[in-house]
Amino acid sequence: MHIRVIRPVIDTTLTPAVTDEVEHWAAPGTTVDVVSLLSGTASIESEYDEALAGPGIVQRVEEAAVDGVDGVFITCFADPGVHAAREIIDAPVVGGFEPSFLTAMSLGDRVGVVTILPNVVPMLRSLTRRYGLDSRLGSIRVVDMPVLGLTDREELIDRLAAQASAAVQNGEADSVVLGCTGMLGVTSAVRDRLHGKGIHVPVVDPTASAITWLESSVRLGLTPSRTTYMTPPVKARKR
Amino acid sequence: MHIRVIRPVIDTTLTPAVTDEVEHWAAPGTTVDVVSLLSGTASIESEYDEALAGPGIVQRVEEAAVDGVDGVFITCFADPGVHAAREIIDAPVVGGFEPSFLTAMSLGDRVGVVTILPNVVPMLRSLTRRYGLDSRLGSIRVVDMPVLGLTDREELIDRLAAQASAAVQNGEADSVVLGCTGMLGVTSAVRDRLHGKGIHVPVVDPTASAITWLESSVRLGLTPSRTTYMTPPVKARKR
Amino acid sequence: MHIRVIRPVIDTTLTPAVTDEVEHWAAPGTTVDVVSLLSGTASIESEYDEALAGPGIVQRVEEAAVDGVDGVFITCFADPGVHAAREIIDAPVVGGFEPSFLTAMSLGDRVGVVTILPNVVPMLRSLTRRYGLDSRLGSIRVVDMPVLGLTDREELIDRLAAQASAAVQNGEADSVVLGCTGMLGVTSAVRDRLHGKGIHVPVVDPTASAITWLESSVRLGLTPSRTTYMTPPVKARKR
Amino acid sequence: MHIRVIRPVIDTTLTPAVTDEVEHWAAPGTTVDVVSLLSGTASIESEYDEALAGPGIVQRVEEAAVDGVDGVFITCFADPGVHAAREIIDAPVVGGFEPSFLTAMSLGDRVGVVTILPNVVPMLRSLTRRYGLDSRLGSIRVVDMPVLGLTDREELIDRLAAQASAAVQNGEADSVVLGCTGMLGVTSAVRDRLHGKGIHVPVVDPTASAITWLESSVRLGLTPSRTTYMTPPVKARKR
Amino acid sequence: MHIRVIRPVIDTTLTPAVTDEVEHWAAPGTTVDVVSLLSGTASIESEYDEALAGPGIVQRVEEAAVDGVDGVFITCFADPGVHAAREIIDAPVVGGFEPSFLTAMSLGDRVGVVTILPNVVPMLRSLTRRYGLDSRLGSIRVVDMPVLGLTDREELIDRLAAQASAAVQNGEADSVVLGCTGMLGVTSAVRDRLHGKGIHVPVVDPTASAITWLESSVRLGLTPSRTTYMTPPVKARKR
Amino acid sequence: MHIRVIRPVIDTTLTPAVTDEVEHWAAPGTTVDVVSLLSGTASIESEYDEALAGPGIVQRVEEAAVDGVDGVFITCFADPGVHAAREIIDAPVVGGFEPSFLTAMSLGDRVGVVTILPNVVPMLRSLTRRYGLDSRLGSIRVVDMPVLGLTDREELIDRLAAQASAAVQNGEADSVVLGCTGMLGVTSAVRDRLHGKGIHVPVVDPTASAITWLESSVRLGLTPSRTTYMTPPVKARKR
């Protein structure tokens, strides 16, 4: 199985770390490759960033279709370009939000998200309503660190554990979702911190759950619905 | 008052017709100018088209901000780039969906939309949920004509009247919204057709309602909320 | 354009102030006249007051229909008599709630209302559900001043600014709606106070938004849906 | 126990029939008296009628409070004046909608209403949303007979049975509520008709369920919440 | 009228107290008998307990059907076995949740529940969503006492009054429902405590409201819908 | 990885077929064993059947906990005992509904379910509301064959294809979920039939998606939330 991981940003410095992470989670027999965008932004922290990333993402999806990959993971929790991508490739496509949030729903009642900055909270709230999942959303909290600052791993773990604990103790969360695919390799540490405080709730990693979600979808032979994601009509397009 | 109309497409052939239409609806004292995109697609009929239009739209919004316009209308019923735009300009911004749908809600219970192609129906249903308006949506019907085929005005009126009548008679609509900003100058004809059949429901034009919505917002001194639409953080961006 | 403003109360002392305010907001070319009721209550602060105002309101609407006005504004945030009025006049009719709340939705995610007394909060919550807008309601707060005490303008501004600030800072509101049409001429002062605290959210005035809403509806040629607002059957009626 | 039945209309011809009906359903030991209004309309079939009935209803509720009755039934399915009444009397108050709809919910999943005229359907849909019950509403159908024409009992039973059957067979209803308190003494006949067709669903009578609801509420010592239904402030009121 | 009360537990020590309570609330002419289960658990405080109680409950319902009882009350606030029971008996069946919650809805806007332990809160939240009543749920609080510890009546009243007061004062409740049928004979004391603090909200007793609900349903001739609660197909079953 | 498959029925004749199916879908390295119940019913087609299966299911889950399995699949689309199971084992537990429905949501907008008999439709509708997923449910259709009659594979495929086609063509479904875990080994045939008619929508198999869901959850280190699924308190229990 071949999964194409599309980082919807122009940054390449984190590509090795992302590659390590997705390879860590991939099953034996799954091949993963990771690409960034040729145009777009260094990170996605606004609707504006998402708008700028659009053409770069669909270009990478078109390449993935030509390459005949089996699944596509667009590594951003805001699911940028995911719905466009499903229109143009006969393979399952996910971002970070759907697989982690839906997985979390099968483990606890209220899903609490801990994301990066206040800036993206309204985007995630809109996404939750778009998906019809708002009755299961507990709260969205932030660690108040930008995507490109997440490399301070200890600080990140501290803040995630603090926010996740607060969410659970305030009755806002029964399952916790890490709300940024740039939070790499910290999930088990956060879970351990919570356990140390006597808090036993699942902590769902968006990258890890995206990889296993795609693998499952491929094994199940599933591809996007063509009544929801109809093939775009032919017309003049200029990039 | 100065309103910038951004056609989120690369097409320029319809620009004169759009200009006539917005000037027709604008109040005395309102200046309107109309621009198309430098990159994007000939029309927006898919999530894919929306993704390709992103950078072109925000470029035009950035210019509008520099030009100090008072309001921005992005002429597409799917509201492409609207939320990104609100992050980067201190002036009201609307697409076609919000002003027409919200206006229709003040006139009848269930809002029925008649749009172009089946392709865009899932996008509009998602948008309705995103905005939390699904309990007021009656149905979304189509005339089954592409955006660039809407210039056959008589055919368009026939089909709009047929679908709108059916929606009302089936109990799907109490107010009708024309679901494409490319449906230019047909609203009163559709309304007359419905009246001729004894159907007395409002027919809301997305272009006309967007113009008056912006004029009202400007007169009321309203600009986008900076807790929902926070200014995007500074970072590397490449177009 | 001729707009009839119906104050749904027997009070006449505030009529000059209301008249000034609506004339202030009306566009050039819009004629506005203001009437109070012959029977009803001094102010509307309960369902009981609304029930008593019913006949007085519909009488004024019937007169407006005879006078051939173009639009009707019933100046109360609880929208009393609005739905009855739409059944008996072929012109747009609004109260204070719908135009301000719907306008606020186009500027920010969660709408926060600041109204007068705890007494009316349940009425407004019911109204929000009736209109299917509850997923966008942030919170309803009160200044704890009765309608007829709102004339202490400085105190009103202080309290509105305090409640609005608290709502925004607690994550209850991205747009603020002043929840009483008796809060006259304070909107820009409240907005300035918020700006002074670094809070940049729109503040929507119910009176001002009602006037511009009606003007827009008239320009768009819109009248109430006769499938939602059917003409009442002929029968014995005694006032 | 003393229950005051307020017919929210000026009609008195049907008062004996209503009296017979409520006495039929009342428990031993319950005293029932029935009053019409001094002002209002002959029947309630529009928001307009409701608005005209307001003062007449609250007058009768005030008398009921003075008389120290134990419960108040306002005999109309649209629950006119019910919420106003709860503000001014320390006794349970219901119309026809709440007790019958809530009772029906405990017997089947989707509640189907069969009411009189298309005119009132939007009112009932609004009421369902106001009460937060829309996820349980199946459909609202009509017999297309005005309130004052319901005295043709055989025709009424025929049409009710036809509409109720259609609703169940179309998957719109698991429990049927008769949607007008003027549909007197026909419930068991309708149920028998449905049984004769092999349709075994409960048929809930709004008058009967209102009486038993009030009796239960009184026995349980329940009165309206004063945080929802606060006592109206003192002020000038003119009828 | 003959009502069978099924205690869905193996405990028998509280049966006399339950019998006293239900006889206290039953109308003259209503015969009540109370049975416990032959298999199950000592109390219901988890989904696990509910699962273990299933066969014991349906056995008692089958006996009730053979005995020709007129109504069945399964005395647990989580409504265990209620929906199964409705499939196999032509008589109204309720647990504690539905009658008390629906009754509370007719008296105030937001319903606040005060139950026993944190363990059951997710079950009750799920039940509220299952019934489509979540828009009316204020909050669910706990006294933090297990079912079998509720016999310390004074402590129970203290904690109920404290939690109910807090819920009302925090704007979480307009009507209070006692969320465990093991809270016997304390409702009026709790109400008095609230009144003593100036809090005038209804307090609904699940046992009392279940008894009067069933009596009303029987008087109204209502039995479960056979489109929702179809008779189970014949098949091999082994207990 | 060791997955325990619990058939929540006393039937054993289909156990080999279920075993073949789950082994077919399991990944290399996953060990699967399948058990039926010692008490319960031959199939689950009612709330009554579910109630009878409760103790048998939890017994098997307790054994699974003792055996230290990594995941538990309760093979029924109605998710019987799933929530009880999560309280008593530190391993992921699913039935058929959650993994297939949530998977289907990532592939298309409206999820259409095709299940066995009309009897279970209300159960599934309740489950959808319980999970807060009703805004994404398109429709629930039936093949009208009992669980134990599903062995007529050709007839089953015919009927599934017919109902699925109708659902898609009527706009009720964009993704199709087979609504019974007894529909074994027919998914790809149904998908082929739909493709043959030009209908390109995903068809999700509940058994297959449950197996891959559990494998993913185990790989992600996820176990049930202990704030939603608290450990049941110690008490007397009798089976």
Side-chain angles (χ1 to χ4, degrees):
Chain A
M1 188 185 312
H2 180 185
I3 290 177
R4 174 68 45 84
V5 177
I6 299 174
R7 299 188 62 219
V9 292
I10 54 173
D11 167 78
T12 57
T13 59
L14 288 175
T15 300
V18 171
T19 306
D20 284 355
E21 184 77 6
V22 294
E23 287 180 343
H24 171 72
W25 289 108
T30 299
T31 303
V32 187
D33 48 31
V34 182
V35 292
S36 288
L37 304 191
L38 299 180
S39 67
T41 63
S43 63
I44 294 193
E45 296 166 334
S46 60
E47 298 261 0
Y48 175 69
D49 290 337
E50 256 198 66
L52 288 175
I57 296 171
V58 300
Q59 176 190 10
R60 291 306 194 194
V61 176
E62 288 167 327
E63 293 167 6
V66 169
D67 294 348
V69 307
D70 297 298
V72 174
F73 171 31
I74 300 174
T75 60
C76 175
F77 195 72
D79 291 359
V82 163
H83 301 280
R86 288 176 183 160
E87 293 175 343
I88 57 173
I89 188 167
D90 278 318
V93 180
V94 295
F97 186 98
E98 270 186 308
S100 58
F101 198 101
L102 298 175
T103 295
M105 286 171 70
S106 73
L107 298 156
D109 189 14
R110 292 162 301 194
V111 179
V113 175
V114 186
T115 187
I116 44 165
L117 296 173
N119 306 49
V120 302
V121 173
M123 296 165 66
L124 299 182
R125 216 161 36 218
S126 290
L127 208 55
T128 311
R129 283 205 303 265
R130 172 182 179 156
Y131 293 157
L133 299 173
D134 32 327
S135 70
R136 295 294 291 277
L137 176 66
S139 68
I140 306 177
R141 286 172 168 258
V142 298
V143 290
D144 218 8
M145 298 168 79
V147 173
L148 298 177
L150 298 179
T151 43
D152 183 346
R153 196 171 171 278
E154 284 312 305
E155 182 71 18
L156 175 60
I157 291 169
D158 283 353
R159 294 195 187 188
L160 283 170
Q163 292 298 324
S165 301
V168 175
Q169 283 161 345
N170 282 351
E172 300 165 10
D174 298 303
S175 299
V176 171
V177 170
L178 302 194
C180 177
T181 56
M183 296 168 172
L184 291 169
V186 296
T187 302
S188 61
V190 173
R191 194 178 303 153
D192 290 349
R193 292 281 181 90
L194 296 178
H195 283 204
K197 296 182 181 187
I199 297 175
H200 296 275
V201 302
V203 180
V204 185
D205 185 298
T207 295
S209 57
I211 294 296
T212 59
W213 189 278
L214 287 174
E215 289 177 339
S216 292
S217 297
V218 173
R219 286 163 61 195
L220 298 170
L222 298 169
T223 55
S225 168
R226 288 286 160 256
T227 56
T228 294
Y229 301 108
M230 298 181 78
T231 302
V234 173
K235 68 184 64 166
R237 295 186 169 97
K238 183 177 168 193
R239 313 212 175 175
Chain B
M1 189 186 309
H2 180 184
I3 290 177
R4 174 68 43 85
V5 178
I6 299 173
R7 298 188 61 219
V9 292
I10 54 173
D11 167 79
T12 57
T13 60
L14 288 175
T15 299
V18 172
T19 306
D20 283 357
E21 186 75 7
V22 294
E23 288 181 342
H24 171 72
W25 289 108
T30 299
T31 304
V32 187
D33 47 32
V34 183
V35 292
S36 290
L37 305 190
L38 300 180
S39 67
T41 63
S43 62
I44 293 192
E45 296 165 334
S46 59
E47 298 261 3
Y48 175 70
D49 289 338
E50 257 198 67
L52 288 175
I57 295 171
V58 299
Q59 175 190 12
R60 291 306 194 196
V61 176
E62 288 167 326
E63 293 168 6
V66 169
D67 294 348
V69 306
D70 298 297
V72 174
F73 171 31
I74 300 174
T75 61
C76 176
F77 196 71
D79 290 359
V82 163
H83 301 280
R86 287 175 184 160
E87 293 175 342
I88 57 173
I89 188 168
D90 278 317
V93 181
V94 295
F97 186 97
E98 269 186 309
S100 57
F101 198 100
L102 297 175
T103 295
M105 285 172 69
S106 73
L107 298 155
D109 188 14
R110 293 162 302 193
V111 179
V113 174
V114 186
T115 187
I116 44 166
L117 296 174
N119 307 50
V120 302
V121 173
M123 296 165 66
L124 299 181
R125 216 162 34 218
S126 289
L127 209 53
T128 311
R129 282 205 304 265
R130 172 183 178 154
Y131 293 157
L133 300 173
D134 32 326
S135 70
R136 295 293 292 276
L137 175 66
S139 68
I140 306 176
R141 285 170 168 260
V142 298
V143 290
D144 217 8
M145 299 168 79
V147 173
L148 299 177
L150 298 178
T151 44
D152 182 345
R153 195 171 171 279
E154 284 313 304
E155 183 69 19
L156 174 59
I157 292 169
D158 283 353
R159 294 195 186 188
L160 283 170
Q163 292 298 325
S165 301
V168 174
Q169 283 161 346
N170 282 350
E172 301 164 10
D174 299 303
S175 299
V176 172
V177 170
L178 302 193
C180 177
T181 55
M183 296 169 172
L184 292 169
V186 296
T187 302
S188 62
V190 173
R191 194 178 304 153
D192 290 348
R193 291 281 181 90
L194 295 178
H195 284 204
K197 296 182 181 187
I199 297 174
H200 295 276
V201 302
V203 180
V204 185
D205 186 298
T207 295
S209 56
I211 294 297
T212 59
W213 189 278
L214 288 174
E215 290 177 338
S216 293
S217 298
V218 173
R219 287 163 61 196
L220 297 169
L222 298 170
T223 56
S225 167
R226 287 287 161 252
T227 55
T228 294
Y229 300 108
M230 298 181 78
T231 303
V234 173
K235 69 184 63 168
R237 295 186 169 97
K238 183 177 169 192
R239 310 208 178 180
Chain C
M1 190 186 310
H2 181 185
I3 291 177
R4 173 68 46 84
V5 177
I6 299 174
R7 299 189 61 220
V9 291
I10 54 174
D11 167 78
T12 57
T13 61
L14 288 175
T15 299
V18 171
T19 306
D20 284 356
E21 185 77 7
V22 294
E23 288 181 342
H24 171 73
W25 289 108
T30 299
T31 304
V32 187
D33 48 31
V34 183
V35 292
S36 289
L37 305 191
L38 299 181
S39 66
T41 62
S43 62
I44 294 193
E45 297 166 333
S46 60
E47 298 261 1
Y48 175 71
D49 289 338
E50 256 199 66
L52 289 175
I57 295 171
V58 300
Q59 174 190 11
R60 290 307 195 194
V61 176
E62 288 167 328
E63 292 168 6
V66 169
D67 294 348
V69 307
D70 298 297
V72 174
F73 171 31
I74 300 174
T75 61
C76 176
F77 195 72
D79 290 359
V82 164
H83 301 280
R86 288 176 183 160
E87 294 176 342
I88 57 173
I89 188 167
D90 280 317
V93 180
V94 294
F97 185 98
E98 270 186 309
S100 58
F101 197 101
L102 297 175
T103 295
M105 286 171 68
S106 73
L107 299 155
D109 188 13
R110 292 161 302 193
V111 179
V113 174
V114 186
T115 187
I116 44 166
L117 295 173
N119 307 50
V120 302
V121 173
M123 296 165 66
L124 298 181
R125 215 159 37 216
S126 290
L127 208 53
T128 311
R129 283 204 303 265
R130 173 183 178 154
Y131 292 157
L133 300 173
D134 31 327
S135 70
R136 296 293 292 276
L137 176 66
S139 68
I140 307 176
R141 287 172 167 258
V142 298
V143 291
D144 217 9
M145 298 168 79
V147 174
L148 298 177
L150 298 178
T151 44
D152 182 345
R153 196 171 171 278
E154 284 312 304
E155 182 71 18
L156 174 59
I157 290 169
D158 283 351
R159 295 195 186 188
L160 283 170
Q163 293 297 326
S165 302
V168 175
Q169 284 160 345
N170 283 348
E172 302 165 9
D174 299 302
S175 297
V176 171
V177 170
L178 302 193
C180 176
T181 56
M183 296 169 172
L184 291 169
V186 296
T187 301
S188 61
V190 173
R191 193 178 304 154
D192 291 348
R193 293 279 182 91
L194 296 179
H195 284 204
K197 296 183 181 186
I199 297 174
H200 296 275
V201 302
V203 180
V204 186
D205 185 298
T207 295
S209 58
I211 293 297
T212 60
W213 189 279
L214 287 174
E215 289 177 339
S216 292
S217 298
V218 173
R219 286 163 61 196
L220 298 170
L222 298 169
T223 55
S225 167
R226 287 285 161 257
T227 56
T228 295
Y229 301 107
M230 299 181 77
T231 303
V234 174
K235 68 184 64 166
R237 294 186 170 97
K238 184 177 168 192
R239 312 211 175 176
Chain D
M1 189 186 309
H2 180 185
I3 291 177
R4 173 68 45 84
V5 177
I6 299 174
R7 299 188 61 219
V9 292
I10 55 174
D11 167 78
T12 57
T13 61
L14 287 176
T15 299
V18 171
T19 306
D20 284 355
E21 185 76 7
V22 294
E23 288 180 342
H24 171 73
W25 289 108
T30 299
T31 303
V32 187
D33 48 30
V34 183
V35 291
S36 289
L37 305 189
L38 299 180
S39 67
T41 62
S43 62
I44 293 192
E45 296 166 334
S46 60
E47 298 261 1
Y48 175 71
D49 289 338
E50 256 198 67
L52 289 175
I57 295 171
V58 300
Q59 175 189 12
R60 290 308 194 194
V61 175
E62 288 168 326
E63 292 167 6
V66 169
D67 295 348
V69 306
D70 298 297
V72 174
F73 172 31
I74 300 174
T75 62
C76 175
F77 195 72
D79 291 358
V82 162
H83 301 279
R86 288 176 183 159
E87 294 175 341
I88 57 173
I89 188 168
D90 279 318
V93 181
V94 294
F97 186 97
E98 270 187 308
S100 57
F101 197 101
L102 297 175
T103 295
M105 286 172 68
S106 72
L107 299 155
D109 188 14
R110 292 161 303 194
V111 178
V113 174
V114 187
T115 186
I116 45 166
L117 295 174
N119 307 49
V120 302
V121 173
M123 296 164 65
L124 298 181
R125 216 160 35 217
S126 289
L127 208 54
T128 311
R129 282 204 303 264
R130 173 182 179 155
Y131 293 158
L133 299 173
D134 31 327
S135 70
R136 296 293 292 278
L137 176 66
S139 68
I140 306 176
R141 287 171 167 259
V142 298
V143 291
D144 217 8
M145 299 167 78
V147 173
L148 299 177
L150 298 178
T151 44
D152 182 344
R153 196 171 171 278
E154 284 313 304
E155 183 69 19
L156 174 59
I157 291 169
D158 283 354
R159 295 194 185 189
L160 282 170
Q163 292 297 325
S165 301
V168 174
Q169 283 160 347
N170 282 350
E172 300 164 9
D174 299 302
S175 297
V176 171
V177 169
L178 302 193
C180 176
T181 55
M183 296 169 172
L184 292 168
V186 296
T187 302
S188 61
V190 173
R191 193 178 304 154
D192 290 348
R193 291 280 181 92
L194 295 179
H195 283 203
K197 296 182 181 188
I199 297 174
H200 296 276
V201 301
V203 180
V204 185
D205 186 297
T207 295
S209 56
I211 294 296
T212 60
W213 189 279
L214 287 174
E215 289 177 339
S216 293
S217 299
V218 173
R219 285 164 61 195
L220 297 170
L222 298 170
T223 56
S225 167
R226 286 287 160 254
T227 56
T228 294
Y229 301 107
M230 297 181 78
T231 303
V234 173
K235 69 184 62 167
R237 295 186 169 97
K238 183 177 168 192
R239 310 208 176 178
Chain E
M1 189 186 310
H2 180 184
I3 290 178
R4 173 68 44 85
V5 177
I6 299 175
R7 299 188 61 219
V9 291
I10 54 173
D11 166 79
T12 57
T13 60
L14 288 175
T15 300
V18 171
T19 306
D20 284 356
E21 185 77 7
V22 294
E23 287 181 343
H24 170 74
W25 289 108
T30 299
T31 304
V32 187
D33 47 33
V34 183
V35 291
S36 290
L37 304 191
L38 299 180
S39 66
T41 62
S43 62
I44 293 191
E45 295 166 334
S46 61
E47 297 262 1
Y48 175 70
D49 289 338
E50 257 199 66
L52 289 175
I57 295 171
V58 300
Q59 175 190 9
R60 291 307 194 194
V61 176
E62 288 168 326
E63 292 167 6
V66 169
D67 294 348
V69 306
D70 297 298
V72 173
F73 172 30
I74 300 174
T75 61
C76 176
F77 196 71
D79 291 0
V82 163
H83 301 280
R86 287 175 184 161
E87 293 176 343
I88 57 172
I89 189 168
D90 279 318
V93 180
V94 294
F97 186 97
E98 270 186 309
S100 57
F101 197 101
L102 297 175
T103 295
M105 286 171 68
S106 73
L107 298 156
D109 189 14
R110 293 161 302 194
V111 178
V113 174
V114 187
T115 187
I116 44 166
L117 296 174
N119 306 51
V120 303
V121 172
M123 297 165 64
L124 298 182
R125 216 161 35 217
S126 289
L127 207 54
T128 310
R129 283 205 303 264
R130 173 182 178 155
Y131 293 157
L133 299 173
D134 31 326
S135 70
R136 296 293 292 277
L137 176 66
S139 68
I140 307 177
R141 286 171 168 258
V142 298
V143 289
D144 217 8
M145 298 167 80
V147 174
L148 299 177
L150 298 178
T151 43
D152 182 345
R153 195 170 172 279
E154 283 313 305
E155 182 70 18
L156 174 60
I157 291 169
D158 282 353
R159 295 193 185 189
L160 283 170
Q163 293 297 325
S165 300
V168 174
Q169 283 161 346
N170 283 350
E172 302 164 10
D174 298 303
S175 298
V176 172
V177 170
L178 302 193
C180 177
T181 56
M183 296 169 172
L184 293 169
V186 296
T187 301
S188 61
V190 174
R191 193 178 304 153
D192 290 349
R193 292 279 182 90
L194 296 178
H195 284 204
K197 296 181 181 187
I199 297 174
H200 295 276
V201 302
V203 181
V204 185
D205 185 299
T207 296
S209 58
I211 294 296
T212 59
W213 189 278
L214 287 174
E215 290 177 338
S216 292
S217 298
V218 172
R219 285 164 61 195
L220 297 170
L222 298 170
T223 56
S225 167
R226 288 286 160 255
T227 56
T228 294
Y229 301 107
M230 299 181 77
T231 303
V234 173
K235 69 184 62 167
R237 294 185 171 99
K238 183 176 167 193
R239 310 209 178 178
Chain F
M1 190 184 310
H2 180 184
I3 291 178
R4 174 67 46 84
V5 177
I6 299 174
R7 300 188 61 220
V9 292
I10 53 173
D11 168 77
T12 57
T13 60
L14 288 175
T15 299
V18 171
T19 305
D20 284 355
E21 186 76 8
V22 294
E23 288 180 344
H24 171 73
W25 289 108
T30 300
T31 304
V32 187
D33 47 31
V34 183
V35 292
S36 289
L37 304 190
L38 299 181
S39 67
T41 63
S43 63
I44 294 192
E45 296 166 334
S46 60
E47 298 261 1
Y48 176 69
D49 290 338
E50 257 198 65
L52 289 175
I57 295 171
V58 299
Q59 175 190 10
R60 291 306 195 195
V61 176
E62 288 167 327
E63 293 167 6
V66 168
D67 295 348
V69 307
D70 298 297
V72 174
F73 172 29
I74 300 174
T75 61
C76 176
F77 195 72
D79 291 357
V82 163
H83 301 280
R86 288 176 183 160
E87 293 175 342
I88 57 173
I89 189 168
D90 278 317
V93 181
V94 294
F97 186 98
E98 270 186 308
S100 57
F101 198 100
L102 297 175
T103 295
M105 286 171 68
S106 73
L107 299 156
D109 188 13
R110 293 161 302 193
V111 179
V113 175
V114 186
T115 188
I116 44 165
L117 296 174
N119 305 50
V120 302
V121 173
M123 295 165 65
L124 298 181
R125 216 160 36 218
S126 290
L127 208 54
T128 311
R129 282 205 303 265
R130 172 181 179 156
Y131 293 157
L133 299 172
D134 32 327
S135 70
R136 295 293 292 277
L137 175 66
S139 68
I140 306 176
R141 285 172 168 258
V142 297
V143 290
D144 217 8
M145 298 167 79
V147 174
L148 299 177
L150 298 178
T151 44
D152 183 345
R153 195 170 171 278
E154 284 313 305
E155 183 70 18
L156 175 59
I157 291 169
D158 282 353
R159 294 194 187 189
L160 282 170
Q163 292 298 326
S165 301
V168 174
Q169 284 161 346
N170 281 351
E172 301 164 9
D174 298 304
S175 298
V176 171
V177 170
L178 302 194
C180 177
T181 56
M183 296 169 170
L184 292 169
V186 296
T187 301
S188 61
V190 173
R191 194 179 302 153
D192 290 348
R193 292 279 182 90
L194 296 179
H195 283 203
K197 296 182 181 188
I199 296 174
H200 295 276
V201 302
V203 180
V204 185
D205 185 298
T207 295
S209 57
I211 294 296
T212 59
W213 189 278
L214 288 174
E215 290 177 337
S216 293
S217 298
V218 172
R219 285 164 61 196
L220 297 169
L222 299 169
T223 55
S225 167
R226 288 284 161 256
T227 56
T228 294
Y229 301 108
M230 298 181 78
T231 303
V234 174
K235 69 184 64 167
R237 294 186 170 97
K238 183 177 168 193
R239 311 213 175 173

